[in-house]
């Protein structure tokens, strides 16, 4: 399973990066979102996908899965959500102010201070 | 302890602070008069050290500056240092006196001038009277900076700024090389003290760093002392006011390199490289400078090249003097004469060159031009200046009875003697040395004659002169008169200098020889019919002939490679650096985000793959892996499918929806991998995200329009596949191996015991690692504030729709 998960994470990285490398602002934002999914799955996989009960002690199971990476991913999800929503609004505002939806239209000129 | 000696060295700095105050509050008196006190007092003070340094004596006073690094302000007065200190303060006093009459109180910014000049004087004193290499380097750089300021004194003139920048760049490159050389020496000997280093000279000679240190230090010395091919800054430095040229660019600063060579001779002279480099470059500079001086038409230009040439001569004598260190005794040691001649010529050059510069300044001041093609016939109008020029010029040419004659004879003598030297691979090539020296002296003679006769004899061309020529005021003539008086005195009574100054200085340059006896230097006019005498007669005869037929052969100079070659090289070098850096920057700094991403990711991939396979870290351990279930296989396919759609779709709705599918699939993965909290959060957040995208889409569909024009880009795909592959490979090799057990057992065991909670993930978030959560809340808060202000805040720039 770890092999498949690693490949999946790598695939998400590929897709995310491919989207980020385009000029379109919306695709770049979507790409960063995909990239963070890849990172979260990778984090989970790295900790080892041991079989066991969810980390809820009330279940009285013999083994539990590792709770620490779950806590880390939870934090990361929230932060990436904050960042995604911010850059989404930033892209929206950029389009409204400059009328540009592609990064090469946003290039400064030599006369810009 | 801070002593009077330390105070004396930095006294000019203190004076530099006072100068602007005096200039501002006592404007009626020329500021120079106040400044004049400093060098006179210092000169008298340093005269009192003469008895202390006689023989091999020296005075050392230590003031701790940074003792933990071994950097202390150690004032060290020995024969060599004192000679320079006397030159600096003595000529400094005369230059200040001259500048009082040269610079107009009302038209010039005297506060700047004297501040810079005092700064320079203090730095120069510190340089020559320091025993610590780092302190020496500090003062060395202050001389460069103050010279830069003085050259650009008339900063509104473009040529002044050009000359100042050029001298700064060249001397700074040398200065930096010097610092590296000093550090190399100190890393071998373990001390920055010059005396300590000289004691450990055997240690350095055996070290592989000996040659690099020597080359770097010579580079520093050669750039400062305007040796070939670094001499190009000196003629451009002639844009400075004439007192500055006289002081810095003839008598003192350009001799800092010579001081350094002399000071470190006991350290490096064991090497044949030292001998060949110092002597070779010295002679090359000597002949190049004297040849170039003849073609100049500007008085200061001639003097600048003659300075270059004479500095080369002093340096070549110091190099030849290195041969003396191969003999254990001063008896029968013919090569000590080279060192004596170097020191004697150093003094002589300072006296006559100072006076000649002042003479050139007077001519400029009184006629309005320094161009020798417009000058002539000033002999009767300016008889005193003429006398100065004759004495100074004839002394420089090496004519009796002036001091230049004596040092030139000694120069010839040392060059002839050195041909008998058997070491350093001296063979037939050694014969070249006196021949080059002799040829250069002929040209020296010629330009001296040009200097004197073209300016003062011939026909007066009054219509070409901007001002009506007349003799300068006495105050202006006083300083050059004192200097030429010294030229004559040293010429007739050279031996007064020997015990007091020359022999102690020789003892500093050759300390080991000094212990075996007195150098017994005796300078006299008549040697008998020795080779030197015939060489001098040849110089005068040939020089006179060449000078008389100058018109006929000076067209040769049209084919002779001139200094423009080096200046052009310098200019092209500067332009080239500018152009190259501009090209490099504009080539890779495209302003496109995509390009920068490509740099970043290509570098990351190359670095990671290289270290992954280079260190043999790649390994797949399948032992502890979990088997794949059908659920996971199906989910994986959904994940791949939705991302592929996302990647290539041109429909805006498809993009948003497949992003949602992707997020929900990830949430289902969290369910499968037994992470209920993650699944909940992921579901909620994905919903909100998709809503946000849709909101954006709804309010502003045009921003999504560009999706339609998305093109396929092969290079992008290659890089992203490479990154994805790297991630997969690292993931595979990392997940199989675990170097130590996880700490999660602690959390599982203590979650209830210590924190009273059964949901271990939540306990970690709010209890064990609550700080993460606190700051994560802060991130969300900032993001929401940012979103709010992005939407609400409307400052300048405005909307286009």
């Amino acid at each position: 399973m770890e092999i498949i998960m690693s490949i999946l994470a790598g695939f998400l990285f590929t897709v995310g990066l491919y989207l980020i490398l385009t000029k379109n602002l919306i695709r770049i934002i979507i790409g960063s979102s995909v990239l963070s999914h890849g990172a979260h799955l990778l984090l989970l996989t790295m900790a080892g996908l041991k079989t066991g009960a969810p980390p809820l002690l009330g279940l009285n199971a013999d083994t539990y899965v590792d709770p620490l990476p779950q806590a880390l991913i939870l934090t990361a999800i929230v932060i990436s959500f904050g960042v995604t929503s911010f850059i989404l609004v930033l892209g929206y505002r950029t389009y409204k102010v400059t009328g540009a939806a592609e990064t090469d239209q946003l290039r400064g000129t030599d006369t810009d201070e | 302890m801070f002593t009077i000696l330390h105070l004396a060295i930095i006294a000019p700095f203190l004076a530099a602070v006072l100068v602007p105050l005096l200039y501002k509050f006592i404007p009626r008196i020329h500021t120079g008069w106040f400044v004049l006190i400093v060098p006179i007092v210092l000169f008298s003070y340093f005269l009192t050290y003469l008895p202390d340094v006689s023989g091999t004596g020296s005075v050392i006073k230590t003031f701790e500056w940074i003792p933990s690094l071994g950097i202390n302000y150690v004032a060290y007065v020995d024969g060599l240092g004192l000679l320079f200190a006397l030159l600096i303060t003595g000529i400094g006093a005369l230059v200040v006196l001259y500048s009082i009459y040269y610079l107009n109180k009302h038209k010039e910014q005297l506060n700047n001038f004297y501040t810079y000049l005092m700064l320079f004087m203090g730095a120069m004193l510190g340089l020559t009277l320091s025993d610590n290499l780092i302190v020496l380097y500090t003062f060395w750089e202050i001389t460069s900076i103050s010279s830069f300021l003085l050259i650009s004194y008339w900063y509104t003139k473009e040529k002044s700024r050009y000359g100042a920048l050029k001298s700064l760049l060249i001397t700074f490159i040398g200065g930096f090389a010097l610092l590296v050389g000093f550090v190399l020496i100190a890393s071998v000997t373990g001390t920055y003290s010059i005396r300590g280093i000289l004691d450990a000279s055997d240690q350095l000679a055996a070290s592989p760093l000996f040659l690099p240190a020597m080359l770097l230090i010579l580079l520093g010395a050669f750039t400062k002392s305007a040796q070939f091919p670094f001499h190009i800054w000196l003629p451009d430095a002639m844009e400075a006011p004439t007192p500055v040229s006289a002081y810095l660019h003839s008598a003192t600063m350009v001799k800092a390199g010579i001081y350094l060579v002399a000071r470190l001779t006991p350290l490096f002279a064991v090497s044949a490289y030292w001998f060949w480099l110092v002597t070779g470059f010295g002679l090359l500079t000597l002949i190049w400078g004297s040849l170039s001086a003849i073609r100049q038409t500007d008085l200061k230009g001639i003097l600048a090249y003659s300075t270059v040439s004479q500095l080369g001569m002093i340096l070549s004598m110091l190099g030849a003097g290195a041969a003396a260190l191969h003999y254990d005794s001063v008896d029968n040691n013919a090569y000590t004469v080279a060192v004596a001649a170097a020191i004697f010529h150093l003094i002589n050059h300072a006296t006559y060159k100072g006076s000649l510069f002042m003479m050139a300044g007077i001519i400029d001041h009184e006629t309005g031009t320094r161009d020798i093609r417009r000058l002539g016939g000033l002999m009767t109008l300016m008889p005193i200046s003429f006398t100065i020029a004759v004495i100074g010029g004839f002394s420089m040419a090496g004519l009796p009875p002036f001091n230049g004659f004596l040092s030139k004879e000694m120069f010839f003598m040392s060059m002839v003697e050195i041909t008998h030297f058997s070491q350093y691979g001296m063979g037939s090539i050694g014969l070249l040395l006196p021949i080059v020296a002799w040829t250069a002296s002929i040209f020296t003679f010629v330009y001296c004659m040009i200097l004197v006769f073209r300016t003062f004899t011939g026909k007066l061309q009054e219509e070409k002169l901007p001002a009506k020529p007349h003799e300068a005021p006495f105050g202006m003539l006083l300083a050059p008169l004192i200097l030429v008086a010294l030229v004559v005195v040293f010429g007739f009574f050279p031996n007064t200098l020997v015990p007091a100054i020359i022999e102690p200085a020789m003892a500093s340059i050759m300390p080991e020889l000094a212990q075996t006896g007195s150098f017994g230097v005796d300078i006299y006019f008549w040697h008998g019919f020795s080779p030197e005498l015939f060489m001098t007669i040849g110089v005068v005869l040939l020089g006179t002939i060449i000078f008389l037929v100058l018109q006929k052969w000076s067209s040769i100079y049209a084919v002779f490679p001139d200094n423009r070659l080096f200046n052009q090289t310098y200019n092209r070098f500067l332009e080239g650096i500018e152009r190259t850096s501009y090209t490099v920057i504009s080539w890779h700094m495209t302003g496109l985000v995509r390009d920068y991403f490509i740099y970043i990711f290509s570098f990351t991939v190359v670095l990671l793959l290289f270290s992954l396979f280079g260190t043999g870290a790649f390994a797949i351990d399948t032992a502890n892996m979990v088997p794949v279930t059908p659920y996971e296989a199906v989910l994986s396919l959904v994940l791949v499918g939705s991302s592929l759609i996302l990647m290539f779709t041109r429909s805006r709705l498809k993009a948003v929806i497949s992003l949602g599918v992707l997020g929900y699939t990830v949430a289902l993965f969290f369910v499968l991998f037994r992470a209920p909290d993650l699944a909940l959060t992921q579901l909620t957040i994905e919903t909100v995200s998709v809503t946000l995208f849709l909101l954006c889409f709804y309010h502003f569909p045009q921003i999504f329009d560009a999706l339609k024009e998305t093109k396929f880009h092969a290079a992008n795909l290659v890089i992203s596949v490479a990154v994805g592959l790297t991630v997969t490979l690292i993931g595979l090799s990392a997940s199989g191996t675990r170097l130590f057990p996880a700490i999660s057992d602690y959390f599982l065991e203590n979650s209830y015991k210590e924190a009273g909670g059964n949901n271990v993930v939540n306990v970690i978030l709010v209890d064990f690692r609550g700080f993460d959560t606190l700051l994560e809340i802060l991130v969300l808060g900032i993001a929401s504030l940012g979103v709010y202000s992005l939407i609400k805040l409307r400052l300048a720039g405005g909307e286009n729709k």
Side-chain angles (χ1 to χ4, degrees), chain B residues 554-617:
Chain B
S554 56
S555 56
I556 290 176
Y557 270 114
V559 286
F560 170 74
D562 65 354
N563 283 288
R564 267 179 294 175
L565 189 71
F566 298 102
N567 285 322
Q568 271 173 4
T569 314
Y570 164 83
N571 289 334
R572 285 215 191 102
F573 176 69
L574 280 192
E575 280 167 24
I577 286 180
E578 243 170 64
R579 217 179 21 246
T580 313
S581 51
Y582 180 78
T583 317
V584 169
I585 294 287
S586 52
W587 173 69
H588 78 281
M589 289 285 166
T590 55
L592 290 174
V593 184
R594 179 179 158 261
D595 292 343
Y596 302 148
F597 272 131
I598 289 178
Y599 305 148
I600 293 169
F601 286 109
S602 331
F603 181 74
T604 315
V605 166
V606 169
L607 191 73
L608 286 180
L609 286 185
F610 181 76
S611 49
L612 192 63
F613 290 104
T615 58

Side-chain angles (χ1 to χ4, degrees), chain A residues 36 40 72-86, chain B residues 681 685 772-773 775-780 783:
Chain A
S36 61
H40 299 157
L72 295 181
I73 294 170
L74 198 63
T75 312
I77 289 176
V78 175
I79 288 174
S80 68
F81 167 70
V83 173
T84 307
S85 53
F86 180 76
Chain B
T681 318
I685 275 180
D772 288 0
T773 315
L775 296 175
E776 167 199 338
I777 292 167
L778 188 67
V779 169
L780 268 193

Side-chain angles (χ1 to χ4, degrees), chain B residues 55 100 164 179 214 309 372 388 458 473 478 576 623 659 677 719 749 785 798-799:
Chain B
I100 292 171
L179 178 63
M214 185 181 98
S309 155
I372 52 167
I388 293 165
L478 189 59
L659 182 66
D677 301 292
I719 292 201
E749 274 168 29
L785 271 180
E799 310 285 292

Side-chain angles (χ1 to χ4, degrees), chain B residues 771-792:
Chain B
F771 268 121
D772 288 0
T773 315
L774 177 72
L775 296 175
E776 167 199 338
I777 292 167
L778 188 67
V779 169
L780 268 193
I782 291 172
S784 51
L785 271 180
V787 168
Y788 179 78
S789 39
L790 266 181
I791 290 175
K792 283 286 172 192

Side-chain angles (χ1 to χ4, degrees), chain B residues 619-641:
Chain B
I620 302 179
D621 181 12
T622 51
N624 298 321
M625 284 194 178
V626 188
V628 186
T629 63
Y631 292 120
E632 287 147 358
V634 171
L635 268 190
S636 305
L637 287 178
V638 175
L639 194 79
V640 171

Side-chain angles (χ1 to χ4, degrees), chain A residues 1-2 10 14 17-18 21 24 27 37 46-47 49 52 55 57 66 70 74-75 78 93 95-96 104 107, chain B residues 590-591 594 626 632 647 674 681-682 700 702 706-707 720 728 731 738 744 758 760 765 776 790 799-800:
Chain A
M1 191 64 222
E2 276 89 345
T14 307
L17 194 60
Y18 182 78
L21 286 177
N24 186 299
R27 277 164 74 95
H37 285 320
M46 288 299 93
L49 298 167
L57 296 179
D66 197 338
Q70 296 193 10
L74 198 63
T75 312
V78 175
R93 285 286 299 153
Y95 180 67
K96 252 187 127 179
D104 54 353
R107 248 173 105 176
Chain B
T590 55
R594 179 179 158 261
V626 188
E632 287 147 358
M647 197 167 167
R674 297 170 183 83
T681 318
Q682 178 69 29
F700 236 79
Q702 297 95 317
L707 277 185
S720 27
T728 304
R738 176 155 279 179
S744 303
N758 275 330
V760 185
L765 282 176
E776 167 199 338
L790 266 181
E799 310 285 292
N800 66 346

